[in-house]
Amino acid sequence: MLRRSSPLAAFVATGLTLIVPLPAVPAHASTGSGAYVPGSAGLGDPYFPQAGNGGYDVGHYTIRLRFTPKTRHLGATTTITATATENLSRFDLDFSGPKIGKVEVNGERASYARKGQELVVTPRHGLPSGKTFTVEVSYAGRPKAIKDRALGVTGWIDTKDGAVVLAEPDGARSWFPVNDNPRDKATYTFEISAPEGLTVLANGEPKNSGVAGPRGGYRTSTWEMRRPMASYLAMVAIGKFKVTQGVVDGMPNITAYDPSLAKEFKHLHGITAKAITWESKILGDYPFSSTGGVADRLGVYYALETQGRPVYDAGMADEPTIVHELAHQWFGDSVGLRSWKDIWLNEGFASYAEWLYQEQHGGPSAENTFAEHYKHKAGSAFWKLKTGDPGRNGMFDWNAIYVRGAMTVHALRRKIGDETFFTLLRTWTKENRHSTVTTQDLIALAERLSGQNLGDLFDAWLYKAAKPKL
Ligand code: TRP
Ligand code: ZN
């Protein structure tokens, strides 16, 4: 679902190869006016121009899949419920997964073509603006992770005994056909079959108290994410796991780790509960209906804030990392990005939550942490990228995004004072719950609450590749 409207840049795919030719049926307007036109192949994100698609708004994804770790074979059907936002003669999905068997729109076979990461779907009948339609895509084969020099490994990641999905920023297309842009949030149902003896986890809550009955040596687990979610935050984990189920603040806390990581992650459950309780006090009501975490040996060297249930690679079990991933539930997951260049809104605030956690749990004050980093000399590499627009390959730059992002938040706190600052944190998460935002929205709110003009402060901290004056 799209929460805010925006101009759609046209990235029209050309030179399509039709794989399944069907007799052309002329599209006819049944409601409204205007010709039926192709939806655009991108949403105009400058860092990921191909990601996302124009002309429709997804409401729900149902992802049904069966995975066999031994052969790495995935068989899947993804059903998408969407609403057309213009009269569509055809539309794109983002998909880099295995071989497609068939595509149906509203229950009828549709023709399709694959070009790069675009899956171009041409339905038999035009799709009128404002009308809901369904797309069903069946596919099978061995899914591949997406490897990017600057952004690391994302998507469908094979593990020793199963697989785990981690998809920031654009790995979702490796395992399901998707409108892969963070502004089109949707709800999700996961129906995952895996060989008996393996555990399946996903975002949200297990349905029907966990698992359905055995079927031919496979068991199907259904999980539901009932709150709007960006596609990069969708997660499935299959494998041998030690699962702990508990309750925190009246909701399920479901954590799991690969048995070989028991030593490292035995505190995951308890720290998750402690962090969620503390963060709810500082950041406002927790935005989802369950929490938890999943730890496995992935070899990606990061953790990811997958919605409601972050994923941790081996080596990422420290308390600050857990606090960070859970702070993202407010900053990044519930309050999402409209544009990837604003990634500092995710990472700066999640990193600042670590500073605040330390400050309030007997560690150094945030002021102290800030002062340590501020010692970096003007002209040094530390100040090289723009925090507010680091470039695609700089999205996860430690200095520019994580450290200077948190420093930007602290500079704001110094300027507007503690009372207004802590009100700002809670107002920001409350007013933008389950929505998407821009840096401009943050500046506007901070100015509204403080009564100060903050343009110069944000300009110096975000849009200059230089050490700001204090
Ligand atoms: N967003 C993750 C976090 O900080 C980190 C992350 C995701 C990342 N993808 C990455 C870090 C790629 C480096 C490279 O919680
Ligand atoms: Zn982060």
Side-chain angles (χ1 to χ4, degrees):
M1 50 198 82
L2 287 159
R3 288 298 176 113
R4 307 244 173 128
S5 61
S6 77
L8 304 176
F11 286 88
V12 179
T14 51
L16 306 170
T17 326
L18 285 181
I19 297 173
V20 181
L22 285 172
V25 176
H28 54 278
S30 57
T31 61
S33 55
Y36 279 65
V37 294
S40 69
L43 279 172
D45 190 293
Y47 291 6
F48 299 93
Q50 299 279 100
N53 308 282
Y56 63 93
D57 175 1
V58 177
H60 189 81
Y61 294 90
T62 299
I63 303 172
R64 291 192 184 88
L65 64 84
R66 171 183 288 212
F67 186 62
T68 310
K70 255 196 198 112
T71 58
R72 304 278 164 215
H73 185 269
L74 174 81
T77 300
T78 292
T79 306
I80 300 170
T81 308
T83 305
T85 55
E86 52 192 318
N87 289 336
L88 286 174
S89 58
R90 65 165 209 239
F91 61 90
D92 279 24
L93 290 160
D94 300 296
F95 188 55
S96 304
K99 192 171 168 42
I100 293 175
K102 69 169 181 185
V103 178
E104 288 184 359
V105 175
N106 292 331
E108 285 186 316
R109 276 297 256 266
S111 65
Y112 63 89
R114 296 183 75 163
K115 184 168 169 63
Q117 75 176 65
E118 301 299 312
L119 168 59
V120 185
V121 178
T122 307
R124 278 174 187 261
H125 307 283
L127 303 168
S129 182
K131 281 264 182 356
T132 295
F133 61 97
T134 60
V135 192
E136 190 176 294
V137 183
S138 303
Y139 46 101
R142 184 174 175 170
K144 287 196 302 267
I146 292 171
K147 293 174 187 160
D148 187 283
R149 256 168 200 261
L151 305 178
V153 178
T154 62
W156 186 272
I157 294 164
D158 288 327
T159 61
K160 222 171 110 198
D161 51 17
V164 173
V165 174
L166 285 170
E168 189 185 25
D170 70 334
R173 61 187 162 85
S174 77
W175 72 292
F176 68 105
V178 55
N179 192 29
D180 199 16
N181 183 286
R183 75 181 64 164
D184 192 2
K185 294 188 183 188
T187 50
Y188 285 70
T189 303
F190 305 94
E191 284 179 38
I192 313 291
S193 281
E196 276 183 88
L198 296 183
T199 298
V200 173
L201 297 112
N203 312 88
E205 299 83 48
K207 225 174 149 177
N208 311 326
S209 66
V211 283
R215 210 170 96 243
Y218 287 78
R219 283 209 314 185
T220 302
S221 310
T222 301
W223 291 74
E224 289 269 6
M225 170 45 73
R226 297 180 173 86
R227 300 279 179 270
M229 177 164 79
S231 46
Y232 78 93
L233 298 169
M235 178 275 291
V236 163
I238 301 166
K240 293 198 180 84
F241 287 103
K242 165 90 177 72
V243 179
T244 308
Q245 303 215 39
V247 174
V248 58
D249 298 347
M251 64 181 176
N253 176 16
I254 304 171
T255 59
Y257 51 76
D258 183 283
S260 74
L261 297 172
K263 219 174 150 181
E264 203 189 333
F265 280 97
K266 62 175 183 285
H267 299 301
L268 174 63
H269 195 83
I271 296 173
T272 296
K274 183 180 169 193
I276 285 290
T277 300
W278 176 79
E279 286 171 345
S280 300
K281 285 193 196 104
I282 303 288
L283 309 177
D285 291 343
Y286 179 72
F288 308 115
S289 40
S290 65
T291 184
V294 177
D296 206 347
R297 294 187 187 276
L298 306 170
V300 298
Y301 309 105
Y302 61 84
L304 188 67
E305 62 265 26
T306 42
Q307 188 157 305
R309 191 155 295 111
V311 170
Y312 304 88
D313 197 0
M316 307 297 296
D318 55 298
E319 189 169 18
T321 298
I322 297 168
V323 167
H324 177 108
E325 301 313 328
L326 293 171
H328 272 306
Q329 303 306 308
W330 287 261
F331 301 114
D333 293 10
S334 170
V335 183
L337 297 180
R338 289 194 58 72
S339 176
W340 284 112
K341 73 172 163 42
D342 288 333
I343 185 73
W344 84 275
L345 287 172
N346 288 8
E347 301 306 342
F349 279 91
S351 301
Y352 196 68
E354 296 176 56
W355 296 15
L356 280 175
Y357 187 84
Q358 286 189 325
E359 175 172 281
Q360 298 190 15
H361 292 83
S365 66
E367 176 64 21
N368 242 308
T369 309
F370 175 87
E372 278 305 309
H373 294 299
Y374 194 74
K375 286 178 182 165
H376 280 101
K377 293 213 165 50
S380 78
F382 181 79
W383 305 103
K384 205 174 80 187
L385 296 179
K386 288 179 193 161
T387 299
D389 193 1
R392 179 207 185 268
N393 292 347
M395 273 183 70
F396 299 114
D397 186 88
W398 178 255
N399 291 332
I401 300 303
Y402 289 77
V403 181
R404 285 168 55 208
M407 291 176 82
T408 303
V409 177
H410 189 72
L412 175 65
R413 178 181 171 189
R414 292 173 110 231
K415 176 95 171 149
I416 65 178
D418 274 14
E419 198 181 323
T420 307
F421 175 75
F422 286 101
T423 301
L424 170 74
L425 292 183
R426 282 186 289 268
T427 310
W428 178 246
T429 58
K430 188 174 180 186
E431 289 189 353
N432 300 300
R433 193 175 163 97
H434 302 315
S435 185
T436 57
V437 292
T438 64
T439 296
Q440 273 313 313
D441 295 328
L442 178 73
I443 298 172
L445 179 64
E447 291 190 334
R448 193 178 98 206
L449 294 179
S450 68
Q452 299 182 38
N453 187 330
L454 301 168
D456 289 350
L457 178 133
F458 281 105
D459 194 49
W461 280 94
L462 297 177
Y463 302 114
K464 295 271 165 4
K467 182 173 180 174
K469 296 222 157 49
L470 286 183

